[in-house]
Amino acid sequence: MSSTKSNRKVSRGAAIVTTKSEQVGELFTALSKFQGEITNAHKGTQGHGYSYADLASILDMVKAHLAENGLSVVQMPSQAEHGYIAVETLVAHSSGQWIEQSYSMPIPENKRNSAAQNMGSAITYARRYALAAALGIAQTDDDASLNTSPALDDVAKQWIAAAKANPDVLNQIEDKAYRDFIAKELTK
């Protein structure tokens, strides 16, 4: 089976690599139909100083619609350079057509957690973002959450303390919304 590949370096150590089957017409037709059936994910989970749609809620939202359109998603952690984790996300169609993307990101160093917990957190984070991106899902706020200010949890407080000591630390935060949140907290 032949495939095509593109590779983009995102930042030091982080990369996005996309590979697809030679033919993707049936896959993209099914994805288009799938995307017309779903809504964006609601940010119903609080943590790290902001709200977000967790991986389980996104999976619960899409599983039946994927199956109805002959689509499936497989996500697997894979090897990356030291200090990084990669997640492979494969979207496949019953025709045999597929598209796959590998996304690598740094493993956070949270001293309160074990190395395995930090790696697990990074894997879950990468899976959530890769799944939403592959399926065309955004995370949306409801009207009530737009008028509230998130509470600072311990992780957010650690990022703020680290950024006060060294502003370059902000560049290690992959999630732009979270990075902007921490930067805004630094000005208070």
Side-chain angles (χ1 to χ4, degrees):
M1 178 185 293
S2 65
S3 64
T4 60
K5 180 178 183 177
S6 70
N7 187 357
R8 270 188 303 157
K9 194 81 164 170
V10 177
S11 64
R12 182 187 69 80
I16 297 174
V17 178
T18 303
T19 312
K20 62 183 179 177
S21 58
E22 191 171 306
Q23 303 294 318
V24 291
E26 291 181 59
L27 167 67
F28 287 172
T29 298
L31 273 171
S32 177
K33 186 172 182 256
F34 162 82
Q35 289 171 348
E37 296 171 353
I38 61 168
T39 60
N40 287 318
H42 171 70
K43 292 181 179 181
T45 303
Q46 290 287 328
H48 308 291
Y50 61 101
S51 62
Y52 59 95
D54 66 13
L55 178 61
S57 67
I58 295 172
L59 286 169
D60 287 345
M61 182 182 86
V62 301
K63 280 184 179 179
H65 295 287
L66 287 168
E68 289 169 7
N69 289 287
L71 297 166
S72 62
V73 174
V74 178
Q75 292 187 294
M76 300 163 286
S78 65
Q79 190 173 9
E81 72 178 69
H82 180 72
Y84 284 73
I85 187 68
V87 170
E88 311 284 335
T89 300
L90 173 75
V91 179
H93 184 254
S94 56
S95 67
Q97 296 175 1
W98 54 274
I99 188 166
E100 179 181 39
Q101 188 170 74
S102 174
Y103 170 65
S104 64
M105 62 176 281
I107 299 169
E109 292 186 28
N110 181 340
K111 303 291 185 205
R112 293 184 344 200
N113 295 336
S114 68
Q117 288 171 315
N118 286 335
M119 183 176 288
S121 176
I123 290 169
T124 300
Y125 182 93
R127 285 185 64 203
R128 178 167 47 100
Y129 275 88
L131 177 66
L135 298 178
I137 299 169
Q139 297 182 38
T140 59
D141 291 307
D142 64 336
D143 291 337
S145 66
L146 290 174
N147 297 320
T148 62
S149 177
L152 292 176
D153 65 5
D154 289 340
V155 173
K157 289 175 185 174
Q158 289 173 356
W159 276 113
I160 291 167
K164 282 181 180 176
N166 178 6
D168 290 336
V169 166
L170 286 174
N171 295 327
Q172 296 176 13
I173 302 174
E174 296 284 328
D175 183 309
K176 183 181 181 330
Y178 191 52
R179 184 174 54 246
D180 291 347
F181 169 77
I182 297 298
K184 185 178 178 182
E185 289 297 315
L186 286 170
T187 64
K188 290 183 178 180

